[in-house]
Amino acid sequence: MKRPLKTLGTATLLASALFLAGCGGEGGANDGAAGGDGPIKVGISQLMDIDALNATREGFIKGMTENGYVEGEDIEYDYQNAQGDQATATQIAAGFATSDLDLVLAIATPAAQTVAQAVGNIPVVFSAVTEPVEAGIVESWDAPGANITGTSNLGPVEDQIGLVKELAPDAKTIGVVYSSGEVNSQVQVDLAREAAEKLGMELKEASVASTAEVQQAAQSLDVDAFYVPTDSHVVSAIDSVVEAAETQQVPLVVGDSATVKAGGAATYGLDYEQLGYQTALMAIKILEGEDPATMPVEKQTESLLVVNKGAAERMGVTVPQELLDTADTVIE
């Protein structure tokens, strides 16, 4: 399979060859270019190793494979994981900027921010980025404006907060643990505060600067329920928030389905594998010639109600039967 972005037409190749021959130039017409008949080369920068981001990557590769880009034949991946370290994410982005790549995939907001800053000469798609405009990654949702576009994982925060009232009708306070340095987290916290106020509840915040602070932050909150948004650093230490919820015997509502499987009580969340697949379809359009600058950032239009009945019971919460009956997935 030829690289759609890089391959020159026959007439152009012939004209270039004749020009070089006439000028006595050395080397072929494509010297120094990444084009040719070899596999497409895609660099993947992933912020850390958590279920939601892994599912995003797997969904992307699945989408590419099922649409004609088979790994080892038509496409090669250079997968690098920053393991939650921003300095490493910056190094990965810098390395990709000088590599012979046809496309870069950035998974999660901090990874996308570093790639957007470093990589200007290669098309970029991002995924699992909550608010790409606020994060400074694109100019607007409808017209990203540069070499980058992708998919957002902004979920239905208002519906998620509404789950608190269904699981704990008498709840007056919700404790939220989030990373102070992540723009995407602050956006969700602001939405959560508005939603809580509409339901007559108060949002109590505990921000952290690193994963190591999550346990202490969760334990500092004396509340009627907990909420954790799609915050990679907090989710990577979700066991600490689960422990606090179980100790206080209150529900923990989370921002994505993978975190429900890891111990949260419930969510209206996205299918991250499908999000990655959706991102792959955008990547294919770019590889076939579309300009990312004019491709709107996409979101999923549907969310899934996922309930972890066993986790809820360990938190002292009885899940209403109506919620179980309408759930897309119930984990016993």
Side-chain angles (χ1 to χ4, degrees), residues 8-23 25 27-30:
L8 298 175
T10 303
T12 304
L13 286 170
L14 179 59
S16 299
L18 289 173
F19 175 79
L20 287 171
C23 294
N30 275 337

Side-chain angles (χ1 to χ4, degrees), residues 99-156:
S99 297
D100 180 23
L101 297 172
D102 296 286
L103 185 86
V104 173
L105 167 66
I107 303 176
T109 298
Q113 287 173 316
T114 59
V115 169
Q117 291 168 3
V119 180
N121 59 332
I122 302 167
V124 176
V125 288
F126 59 77
S127 194
V129 170
T130 303
E131 225 305 345
V133 177
E134 292 291 333
I137 297 169
V138 299
E139 293 178 9
S140 75
W141 284 72
D142 292 332
N147 62 320
I148 184 168
T149 188
T151 58
S152 167
N153 65 338
L154 180 59

Side-chain angles (χ1 to χ4, degrees), residues 28-265:
N30 275 337
D31 277 5
D37 295 329
I40 298 290
K41 294 182 179 179
V42 175
I44 300 177
S45 174
Q46 183 172 319
L47 178 63
M48 61 174 55
D49 186 20
I50 59 174
D51 290 344
L53 303 187
N54 291 339
T56 302
R57 184 185 74 252
E58 291 162 3
F60 180 86
I61 294 173
K62 179 180 179 181
M64 299 300 291
T65 301
E66 292 186 354
N67 287 278
Y69 291 80
V70 179
E71 186 173 3
E73 298 178 12
D74 313 296
I75 193 167
E76 296 176 354
Y77 297 106
D78 180 358
Y79 166 58
Q80 299 193 38
N81 194 311
Q83 301 299 337
D85 183 71
Q86 194 61 33
T88 302
T90 300
Q91 292 174 357
I92 292 170
F96 283 167
T98 58
S99 297
D100 180 23
L101 297 172
D102 296 286
L103 185 86
V104 173
L105 167 66
I107 303 176
T109 298
Q113 287 173 316
T114 59
V115 169
Q117 291 168 3
V119 180
N121 59 332
I122 302 167
V124 176
V125 288
F126 59 77
S127 194
V129 170
T130 303
E131 225 305 345
V133 177
E134 292 291 333
I137 297 169
V138 299
E139 293 178 9
S140 75
W141 284 72
D142 292 332
N147 62 320
I148 184 168
T149 188
T151 58
S152 167
N153 65 338
L154 180 59
V157 175
E158 186 170 358
D159 292 340
Q160 292 166 358
I161 297 302
L163 280 173
V164 171
K165 276 295 187 183
E166 296 194 60
L167 296 172
D170 297 329
K172 297 298 182 183
T173 56
I174 305 174
V176 58
V177 182
Y178 70 100
S179 296
S180 56
E182 288 198 28
V183 174
N184 61 303
S185 299
Q186 187 61 61
V187 168
Q188 293 173 89
V189 169
D190 292 342
L191 291 172
R193 186 183 304 106
E194 293 176 10
E197 289 174 354
K198 288 179 182 179
L199 294 173
M201 296 185 290
E202 177 189 359
L203 198 71
K204 294 187 175 182
E205 303 173 21
S207 63
V208 299
S210 67
T211 299
E213 298 177 4
V214 172
Q215 183 176 30
Q216 182 177 353
Q219 292 175 346
S220 72
L221 294 168
D222 182 11
V223 290
D224 300 321
F226 283 95
Y227 174 65
V228 170
T230 54
D231 181 310
S232 299
H233 287 89
V234 177
V235 169
S236 68
I238 195 63
D239 288 351
S240 295
V241 189
V242 171
E243 181 182 358
E246 291 179 355
T247 299
Q248 297 188 35
Q249 291 289 278
V250 298
L252 165 61
V253 173
V254 295
D256 68 89
S257 56
T259 310
V260 175
K261 295 175 183 176

Side-chain angles (χ1 to χ4, degrees), residues 257-304:
S257 56
T259 310
V260 175
K261 295 175 183 176
T267 192
Y268 282 104
L270 308 181
D271 183 332
Y272 274 78
E273 182 175 325
Q274 185 58 40
L275 188 70
Y277 197 106
Q278 185 176 351
T279 311
L281 298 182
M282 297 183 74
I284 291 169
K285 290 179 181 179
I286 293 170
L287 290 169
E288 294 179 350
E290 287 200 31
D291 183 1
T294 60
M295 294 174 63
V297 176
E298 297 183 6
K299 294 190 294 184
Q300 285 191 9
T301 57
E302 297 181 1
S303 57
L304 304 175

